Amino acid sequence: MATTAPNRVMVKEMSWDPITRIVGSLGIHTEIDFSNQSVLKCYSTSMIFRGFDIFMRGIDPRDTHFITSRICGICGDNHCTASCLNQNMAYGVKPPPLGDLAFNCAEAADYIFDHAIFNDCMANVDFCEQMVKETNPSLLAKAENTAAPGGDIHGYKTIADIMRSLNPFTGEFYLETLHVARYTREMYCLFGGRHTHPSTIMPGGCSADITHQTCTDFYVRLMRYMDYVKRSVPMHDDLYDFFLTELPGYDDVGYRATNLVNWGCFDDPDYVDYDYRNMTEWGRKRYITPGIAINGELVTTDLVEINLMIRILLGSSYFDGWENEPTFVDRDPLGNPVDKNHPWNKVTLPKPQKRDFTDKYTWVVSPRIYDKRTDTHVCCDTGGGPFARQWCTAKAGLVDFGYVKATGHSLQMVLPRSPTMPEMELEWKVPEKSNAVERDRARTYHQAYGALICMHNIERAMKEVQAGRTKSWNKFKVPDTAVSCGFHEAARGVLSHHMVIRDGKVANYQPYPPTPWNASPRDVYGTPGPYEDAVQNTPIFEENGPENFKGVDIMRAVRSFDPCLPCGVHMYTGNGRVTKQQHTPTAMA
């Protein structure tokens, strides 16, 4: 629908549903002012409902990692790991050092896979020659005549050459990344057994037979990746800097206030004991530092405080409130009061209904961070994962494991010599803005960060194996009652699992992956979710008019968050339906 006024203002309703290059559950619905080249309104929707938090009630807690890994076919390993961290806390079990290191090697390998494949086979298709030719032909003409500053490293002479290398199914770098995806998956499987639903990652540690050969096979593939990432980072820097330089104002595409959530990840075996009462201390020893940013200020790095700040709100979601339901947890293990809207107390009460953008319009709920200083519920995002992780880690200044050092304003990285390239130093500096380009840029730097976490942890694992300390799993006993949480990071951002055990069974289990944080709708206070907020007021630089409009700037804003909707939506069939099948030896005879 388009409307025009006497002053020739044109507002047009446009929708992209489903958003492509991800699992097709995300819809973006907008009103665009073509007279002023900006987005006026945005609504983020998901119309599929599942219900892991419903059908997990009453199960054996030891099954939770097997079940929750099926939440997603992309980051199932992240769910499995978060569930195992959760169970370690519930059972009071500490894996042997090699078990913790196996978790770290596997998950860091998943990061370098995910960031490579998403950046260069999904998100950066929006920056490729074919797309720019269709949406900004004048920009492509400039790119043809603009030398790439890092060409002596990555091998592409002009910015247009970089764009051509990202063309889907024909571009050189696009195709190379598909090969990278294969051997980084192999890296994960050396410790996890398989992907995406690992068979060896479990509470108490890892059941894989970790030998010198395991570590060597991992290391060989990692060194191959080092060659790749040393070219990838300067290549992406050249591409993104070109957009920011040649399209003044492009730093407002996908812009929103720097309100970030990051749980941190990759525990140091020397410090972690999985005891909630010590979570503040061992959380700050993680190789990625936990943190909450509000309006550009790092307000805490304390995982206990972070846990207690989480609120699950509704508003525009297809659910009833649980204010009249029993409260599972009044106080945490340290005696701190727990809010009724905390995940430990959240009860899932689905209420299907018609989509109405003035009321209820999605199955995604609205996680928020409660800021007691201002008595407000802040809508935070994950920055697509890498942006929030690197922002909080750099600002905190706690990380220093040789290959990576956080300075308070940047992350300094040293990539060791690899098969075809010398040692390289990189520095990711905290950007002034949280926007589409900087989220994508953070992702390519996070490929280097993830590779260096792999390097540090595989070196530690090798020392354990060489010393004969090959045990990687410890026994445990399921308690009758427990309250626990597992804080981890999926590739695209925060992932937490919250569990209450009663009578040896799961009484409540609430997983909160990154997508509900990013794809949340307007909450009970009317605050838009991050996708909505980032798209609203985004300027339009596409040269096509309303009739041929592709929405590439909008898609760049949304895809910069690395959307993955399976985690944000659920499916539940009530009490179920029995289907009876009969088979006979003679079939249809």
Side-chain angles (χ1 to χ4, degrees):
M1 178 185 75
T3 60
T4 58
N7 59 358
R8 302 185 62 81
V9 171
M10 173 179 281
V11 176
K12 190 171 184 178
E13 294 180 355
M14 303 194 76
S15 297
W16 291 263
D17 192 354
I19 300 295
T20 55
R21 296 184 228 143
I22 64 169
V23 176
S25 303
L26 173 63
I28 294 293
H29 306 266
T30 65
E31 291 182 10
I32 302 174
D33 178 357
F34 281 97
S35 302
N36 295 298
Q37 291 293 94
S38 66
V39 182
L40 297 178
K41 293 182 181 180
C42 176
Y43 300 90
S44 171
T45 68
S46 182
M47 303 309 293
I48 299 177
F49 175 69
R50 293 186 293 175
F52 283 80
D53 37 3
I54 294 176
F55 60 68
M56 287 180 67
R57 298 173 190 161
I59 70 168
D60 189 318
R62 292 171 293 185
D63 289 335
T64 58
H65 59 293
F66 292 118
I67 295 173
T68 56
S69 81
R70 272 70 184 173
I71 288 175
C72 183
I74 297 172
C75 49
D77 62 293
N78 308 136
H79 280 284
C80 176
T81 299
S83 179
C84 290
L85 301 180
N86 188 6
Q87 291 179 76
N88 286 347
M89 182 178 290
Y91 309 154
V93 59
K94 165 73 168 74
L98 191 57
D100 286 324
L101 295 169
F103 276 36
N104 291 348
C105 287
E107 287 297 89
D110 176 72
Y111 279 26
I112 62 177
F113 158 82
D114 193 285
H115 298 318
I117 200 76
F118 184 78
N119 238 18
D120 294 314
C121 296
M122 298 181 191
N124 275 339
V125 171
D126 289 331
F127 295 86
C128 76
E129 177 204 36
Q130 182 178 336
M131 183 64 75
V132 176
K133 182 179 181 179
E134 294 177 3
T135 58
N136 294 85
S138 64
L139 186 67
L140 180 60
K142 291 181 180 179
E144 295 283 6
N145 297 302
T146 302
D152 57 334
I153 301 174
H154 54 66
Y156 298 108
K157 293 183 178 180
T158 68
I159 300 299
D161 290 336
I162 295 175
M163 292 177 176
R164 273 187 284 277
S165 77
L166 296 171
N167 282 337
F169 306 112
T170 60
E172 180 184 40
F173 206 80
Y174 181 101
L175 294 173
E176 181 179 355
T177 300
L178 293 179
H179 289 287
V180 169
R182 176 180 56 79
Y183 65 74
T184 49
R185 273 291 184 251
E186 292 171 353
M187 289 171 66
Y188 181 92
C189 292
L190 286 165
F191 290 96
R194 61 180 180 178
H195 196 280
T196 57
H197 311 304
S199 56
T200 58
I201 302 298
M202 57 186 60
C206 177
S207 67
D209 182 19
I210 302 171
T211 65
H212 186 272
Q213 188 65 51
T214 308
C215 297
T216 300
D217 288 345
F218 188 95
Y219 181 85
V220 168
R221 289 164 174 80
L222 177 58
M223 285 295 100
R224 184 178 176 186
Y225 187 85
M226 287 289 183
D227 274 349
Y228 169 83
V229 80
K230 286 174 182 176
R231 293 167 43 237
S232 178
V233 173
M235 186 191 87
H236 287 92
D237 268 340
D238 288 353
L239 179 64
Y240 300 144
D241 288 343
F242 173 78
F243 269 78
L244 293 176
T245 300
E246 298 299 330
L247 296 176
Y250 211 81
D251 57 345
D252 285 329
V253 171
Y255 167 78
R256 69 185 307 264
T258 306
N259 296 319
L260 304 172
V261 282
N262 159 45
W263 305 158
C265 48
F266 305 120
D267 291 299
D268 189 327
D270 292 344
Y271 298 96
V272 65
D273 62 4
Y274 299 97
D275 189 326
Y276 182 93
R277 296 166 296 181
N278 301 323
M279 189 163 66
T280 299
E281 289 73 28
W282 54 257
R284 286 176 172 152
K285 294 294 185 179
R286 290 182 152 186
Y287 293 120
I288 292 176
T289 307
I292 299 288
I294 297 178
N295 292 324
E297 176 189 355
L298 182 63
V299 298
T300 184
T301 58
D302 183 345
L303 264 182
V304 172
E305 183 178 8
I306 288 170
N307 175 51
L308 296 171
M309 294 171 79
I310 300 173
R311 302 287 187 272
I312 308 302
L313 304 183
L314 297 180
S316 300
S317 307
Y318 296 140
F319 296 94
D320 281 331
W322 54 92
E323 58 275 1
N324 296 322
E325 297 293 322
T327 299
F328 290 98
V329 183
D330 290 314
R331 294 188 175 273
D332 73 357
L334 285 166
N336 299 308
V338 177
D339 192 83
K340 183 71 173 180
N341 289 327
H342 186 275
W344 274 328
N345 291 321
K346 191 251 187 182
V347 178
T348 304
L349 302 171
K351 188 178 182 180
Q353 54 196 281
K354 181 181 178 181
R355 185 168 70 186
D356 181 354
F357 288 130
T358 66
D359 189 15
K360 314 286 187 182
Y361 56 86
T362 183
W363 280 110
V364 182
V365 296
S366 297
R368 298 290 187 259
I369 289 296
Y370 178 68
D371 185 356
K372 62 183 179 183
R373 304 171 305 171
T374 56
D375 190 28
T376 56
H377 294 78
V378 183
C379 178
C380 293
D381 67 75
T382 75
F387 187 89
R389 287 196 287 270
Q390 292 182 174
W391 196 100
C392 294
T393 302
K395 286 282 190 176
L398 299 177
V399 165
D400 185 358
F401 58 88
Y403 293 116
V404 179
K405 179 178 176 60
T407 67
H409 57 84
S410 69
L411 292 175
Q412 296 174 344
M413 310 179 206
V414 179
L415 281 70
R417 180 179 179 84
S418 50
T420 66
M421 300 191 74
E423 180 182 288
M424 176 183 285
E425 294 184 5
L426 298 172
E427 185 174 19
W428 181 83
K429 298 178 181 178
V430 173
E432 293 183 4
K433 288 186 175 181
S434 174
N435 57 29
V437 167
E438 294 304 340
R439 291 183 205 108
D440 288 336
R441 189 197 305 272
R443 190 174 297 113
T444 194
Y445 274 84
H446 212 64
Q447 291 176 242
Y449 195 171
L452 295 173
I453 290 173
C454 283
M455 178 66 73
H456 178 71
N457 280 272
I458 198 62
E459 289 175 346
R460 293 189 65 176
M462 284 180 173
K463 290 179 181 178
E464 292 295 310
V465 172
Q466 290 167 353
R469 297 186 292 268
T470 56
K471 185 179 181 182
S472 58
W473 180 81
N474 280 327
K475 294 181 179 180
F476 56 85
K477 181 179 179 181
V478 178
D480 289 335
T481 61
V483 173
S484 59
C485 53
F487 283 102
H488 186 45
E489 289 271 320
R492 51 203 46 81
V494 293
L495 173 58
S496 60
H497 284 207
H498 306 262
M499 180 167 64
V500 179
I501 298 175
R502 290 180 179 173
D503 299 322
K505 302 293 183 181
V506 172
N508 196 19
Y509 200 102
Q510 295 286 333
Y512 280 92
T515 296
W517 289 91
N518 295 330
S520 66
R522 287 157 176 78
D523 60 29
V524 67
Y525 300 105
T527 306
Y531 291 169
E532 298 175 332
D533 186 34
V535 171
Q536 288 182 169
N537 299 314
T538 275
I540 300 299
F541 287 82
E542 181 178 334
E543 295 171 24
N544 293 323
E547 301 307 317
N548 298 310
F549 188 67
K550 295 184 181 299
V552 67
D553 302 304
I554 294 170
M555 292 300 99
R556 286 172 184 149
V558 173
R559 291 196 182 103
S560 69
F561 289 96
D562 192 354
C564 175
L565 262 291
C567 292
V569 299
H570 303 280
M571 178 167 31
Y572 174 59
T573 59
N575 293 325
R577 182 178 63 182
V578 176
T579 300
K580 185 176 181 180
Q581 294 184 347
Q582 292 181 324
H583 302 275
T584 65
T586 54
M588 299 301 293

